[in-house]
Amino acid sequence: MNRSSTPPDTVKATATREPFDRRLARGIQRVTASALGPYQTAIVRIGISLTWLLFLLRELPHRHELYGPDGPWAWDMGRRLISMNEAFTVLMWSDNTLWFETVYVLAVLSALLMLLGWRTRAMSVVFMVGVLSLQNRSVFVGDGGDNVVHLTAIYLVLTRCGQVWSLDARRAAREAREAEAGKAPRRDVVGPLLWTVLGGLLLATTYYSDTNGSAWLLVLLWVLWLGQALWWVVCRYAPGEPRTLLDVLANLTHNAALVVIMAEVCLIYATAGWYKIQGSRWQDGTALYYPLQLDYFSPWPLLSDLLGASGVMVMVLTYGTVLIQVAFPFALFNRKVKNVLLVAMMLEHAGIAVLLGLPLFSLAMISADAVFLPTAFLVWLGARAGRGRDRLLSRPRGAVPDQRRPGEEAAPRTLVG
């Protein structure tokens, strides 16, 4: 067949078709060469740590009743429960009030430092330990958002969530500028000191392993601690191929954890939506009406009564909630539809925060949803936040400094952005 007689579309498709092995190689390169979704993991880190920090500060006057020695779930009862469900909590080391206060203060401090992105690799581990220790101490305290914080705190340990919007990124950018200027690198004293202190705490955790529940978390903590030491040694004495290999392993772990966070959000909405379908109140469109009539979930009674008085609005919101939750996992295959449903879900959680008086639950869910926000929007949001900060601090306006490593290309567009 003469090429001139071939339809133009067929010729174009044949010319642009790429062999499978090249596509596979490009995909492997994409996954191993960079940590995908840096802005998405950063916003999840900020949102989840902010949620936990606000919760700890809000419950500061009631901490002894919730998790401490004055709670209805006594220390002996907690220890028996831990022996059965193998949950991890350092609060089972001692029933001393001083030890409880120390753990609570460290949990608040780690949440704040995680929010700021200071020594993110170490703080993510301390943050996870604080979340697990307090939540597993009293398993009956929570409103659903605590489960999201609980799981995401574990996943964030495996991500490189401090690449942007963090003090770590600022420090890396400053060191890069100094290196370009020919200045000698500064000696890092804080890192090794923090590593040594955490090593001592890890030894104590190992000593009390019979009261810490499952052994898998202890193994994970040792792997992370030894891995950080290996990273420091390689960066200092073997910055060539060994450093490249560690970067590849870190990128693979980060990308796998990012997929798990995305899958977690999809499972939350899919299971919630399909369970709602089975409920008779959701089927007849009246499910939203009943929580609006409960005093416990009515911080604004007039607003709840106004919404509950409209049968059409109650029906639309009830059916809309089910439709959005069931459809969202399937909408990931279409970027525009995904973004529309994502906005709808975030508005839904904002409504729950106002109407039902569950602000921290809503903030936890919005923070988890943020993993699907488009990268362009997050970059724009970061630029606006930077300008607002400069105005607040009376700094000269200018472009927001790029917090990527020197020579690092922009992350490719993916499912999350």
Side-chain angles (χ1 to χ4, degrees), residues 6-61:
T6 305
D9 293 340
T10 305
V11 173
K12 184 178 180 180
T14 304
T16 59
R17 187 176 298 158
E18 189 178 16
F20 173 76
D21 56 343
R22 290 187 180 180
R23 285 183 290 168
L24 179 62
R26 190 174 69 250
I28 295 176
Q29 173 70 15
R30 187 179 185 183
V31 172
T32 58
S34 63
L36 303 178
Y39 293 95
Q40 284 78 10
T41 50
I43 197 66
V44 172
R45 181 201 86 228
I46 293 171
I48 293 297
S49 57
L50 178 62
T51 303
W52 183 239
L53 177 62
L54 291 177
F55 175 81
L56 294 178
L57 294 178
R58 185 189 70 177
E59 302 300 342
L60 188 63

Side-chain angles (χ1 to χ4, degrees), residues 43-59 111-112 115 127 131 135 143-150 152 358-368:
I43 197 66
V44 172
R45 181 201 86 228
I46 293 171
I48 293 297
S49 57
L50 178 62
T51 303
W52 183 239
L53 177 62
L54 291 177
F55 175 81
L56 294 178
L57 294 178
R58 185 189 70 177
E59 302 300 342
L112 176 61
L115 173 65
F127 176 75
V131 171
Q135 289 189 354
D143 54 14
D146 58 310
N147 293 328
V148 178
V149 174
H150 189 109
T152 310
L358 298 172
L360 296 182
F361 164 78
S362 299
L363 182 57
M365 291 304 304
I366 292 175
S367 301

Side-chain angles (χ1 to χ4, degrees), residues 111-154:
L112 176 61
L113 295 178
M114 185 72 169
L115 173 65
L116 299 175
W118 183 82
R119 305 286 172 173
T120 314
R121 287 174 181 161
M123 282 304 109
S124 63
V125 178
V126 181
F127 176 75
M128 176 190 68
V129 171
V131 171
L132 297 184
S133 296
L134 291 173
Q135 289 189 354
N136 290 336
R137 171 63 179 86
S138 294
V139 295
F140 302 108
V141 177
D143 54 14
D146 58 310
N147 293 328
V148 178
V149 174
H150 189 109
L151 293 174
T152 310
I154 298 175

Side-chain angles (χ1 to χ4, degrees), residues 182-355:
K183 297 181 179 179
R186 302 184 184 185
R187 183 181 179 185
D188 184 14
V189 179
V190 177
L193 178 61
L194 183 61
W195 181 82
T196 303
V197 172
L198 293 180
L201 294 176
L202 186 55
L203 288 175
T205 304
T206 305
Y207 178 78
Y208 288 102
S209 59
D210 57 331
T211 64
N212 286 334
S214 179
W216 71 267
L217 189 60
L218 182 62
V219 173
L220 174 62
L221 293 176
W222 274 108
V223 170
L224 293 172
W225 187 74
L226 294 175
Q228 186 62 31
L230 177 63
W231 186 278
W232 184 86
V233 170
V234 168
C235 290
R236 188 175 181 87
Y237 299 106
E241 291 186 1
R243 168 63 188 273
T244 302
L245 176 61
L246 289 184
D247 263 326
V248 169
L249 294 176
N251 290 335
L252 287 173
T253 305
H254 167 96
N255 295 331
L258 180 61
V259 172
V260 171
I261 294 175
M262 296 164 61
E264 173 199 352
V265 176
C266 291
L267 285 174
I268 289 174
Y269 286 118
T271 53
W274 286 107
Y275 270 111
K276 285 181 175 66
I277 289 177
Q278 302 175 44
S280 59
R281 296 293 177 262
W282 291 96
Q283 292 175 7
D284 59 27
T286 62
L288 182 62
Y289 173 81
Y290 298 99
L292 294 176
Q293 307 307 310
L294 299 176
D295 293 337
Y296 185 78
F297 292 109
S298 299
W300 312 100
L302 292 178
L303 187 59
S304 299
D305 293 340
L306 181 63
L307 180 60
S310 175
V312 175
M313 185 60 68
V314 169
M315 182 183 67
V316 169
L317 292 177
T318 300
Y319 287 148
T321 299
V322 177
L323 178 62
I324 291 172
Q325 292 182 349
V326 172
F328 181 74
F330 303 99
L332 296 180
F333 298 99
N334 187 292
R335 192 181 305 274
K336 292 182 179 180
V337 177
K338 180 264 294 183
N339 290 336
V340 171
L341 293 184
L342 189 60
V343 172
M345 287 194 304
M346 290 185 171
L347 291 176
E348 174 191 340
H349 288 302
I352 291 174
V354 175
L355 290 173

